[in-house]
Amino acid sequence: MQVITLMSAKGGVGKTTLAANLAHGLHRRGYRTLAVDLDPQNALRLHLGMDAADTSGFIREGLSRNVLFTSPHGVYFAPFGDVQADDLTLFEAFLAENPDWLARSITALEPLGFDYVILDTSPGPNVFLNQALATTSTALMVVLADAASYATVPQALELIERHAKPNPRYRESFVVINQQPVNGRLGHQVRSALANDREIPLAPVSVHRDSRVDRK
């Protein structure tokens, strides 16, 4: 079972959309896939067809087979769940005291036969990202082709060095440029800067911005 973590230093980079599409794409290739929402915004479920009025999630019941839903496209997913601020604070404290909680939960799901587990994490350094990196096989740092995103890459690499590399499942990490403009000098300059930095593991492909989608 391969675990793929999508991470970002800031919101608005399209990380959750990529997580949903990656899970769907793997399913279409014949892989049994589970997507887990580790972001309190609880938005991944909306990409996967869950009723917006449904407030259930693993924050109340724990991450087990009992909290898994199936999207109309066949992807299994575990929503975070709606939660009050006080309960979220308690859950974050629990995760800080139990850094292997997610790793143990994912291991317990192995009998279900998933080929891939996709983890969509909360932006920035936080306990949810730490938990994800501690069990991940591959980390994908999602950035935009702008100067602000470029500046966040070193911090993301430090988090991977600290939390992912010690775990025995970890294999690799990549920086993925999302919404790469087809035209635009700055975007291509940022991509070139990332590609020319030998310390940055830039993915060999970018996700290009489609103006037809922007208009919808």
Side-chain angles (χ1 to χ4, degrees):
M1 181 170 62
Q2 300 297 314
V3 181
I4 302 176
T5 295
L6 282 85
M7 57 187 289
S8 64
K10 60 190 184 73
V13 301
K15 172 181 52 60
T16 298
T17 302
L18 283 181
N21 280 279
L22 177 59
H24 179 51
L26 288 169
H27 170 73
R28 289 192 63 182
R29 286 178 173 267
Y31 297 108
R32 188 172 171 85
T33 306
L34 169 66
V36 179
D37 193 348
L38 291 172
D39 188 339
Q41 293 186 34
N42 198 30
L44 182 62
R45 65 194 176 107
L46 303 178
H47 291 267
L48 295 173
M50 185 174 176
D51 186 344
D54 194 332
T55 62
S56 57
F58 69 79
I59 188 171
R60 293 189 183 88
E61 305 170 58
L63 184 55
S64 68
R65 68 177 68 200
N66 297 327
V67 302
L68 303 188
F69 290 78
T70 308
S71 80
H73 307 294
V75 175
Y76 290 85
F77 67 97
F80 189 92
D82 287 343
V83 64
Q84 300 298 317
D86 290 346
D87 292 330
L88 180 60
T89 298
L90 290 174
F91 186 53
E92 290 174 338
F94 168 80
L95 293 181
E97 295 173 1
N98 298 272
D100 63 340
W101 173 81
L102 181 62
R104 288 187 286 105
S105 298
I106 289 178
T107 298
L109 293 175
E110 287 184 351
L112 298 181
F114 292 112
D115 299 299
Y116 285 94
V117 176
I118 310 300
L119 304 178
D120 181 32
T121 61
S122 180
N126 52 70
V127 291
F128 304 107
L129 177 59
N130 295 349
Q131 291 267 338
L133 292 177
T135 190
T136 200
S137 309
T138 302
L140 301 180
M141 296 168 276
V142 182
V143 301
L144 299 180
D146 59 27
S149 289
Y150 179 78
T152 66
V153 172
Q155 181 189 46
L157 293 176
E158 288 179 8
L159 291 172
I160 290 172
E161 186 76 27
R162 188 185 316 156
H163 298 287
K165 289 189 176 181
N167 100 66
R169 197 193 299 266
Y170 175 77
R171 297 190 309 169
E172 58 192 356
S173 57
F174 297 100
V175 174
V176 178
I177 300 177
N178 192 28
Q179 303 177 30
Q180 171 76 49
V182 177
N183 300 309
R185 184 176 179 182
L186 177 60
H188 288 284
Q189 286 178 335
V190 171
R191 176 170 174 75
S192 295
L194 289 168
N196 291 330
D197 190 331
R198 295 186 177 182
E199 299 298 319
I200 296 176
L202 183 65
V205 295
S206 300
V207 181
H208 289 274
R209 176 182 296 160
D210 191 330
S211 60
R212 294 171 298 181
V213 176
D214 292 339
R215 290 196 297 267
K216 293 181 180 180

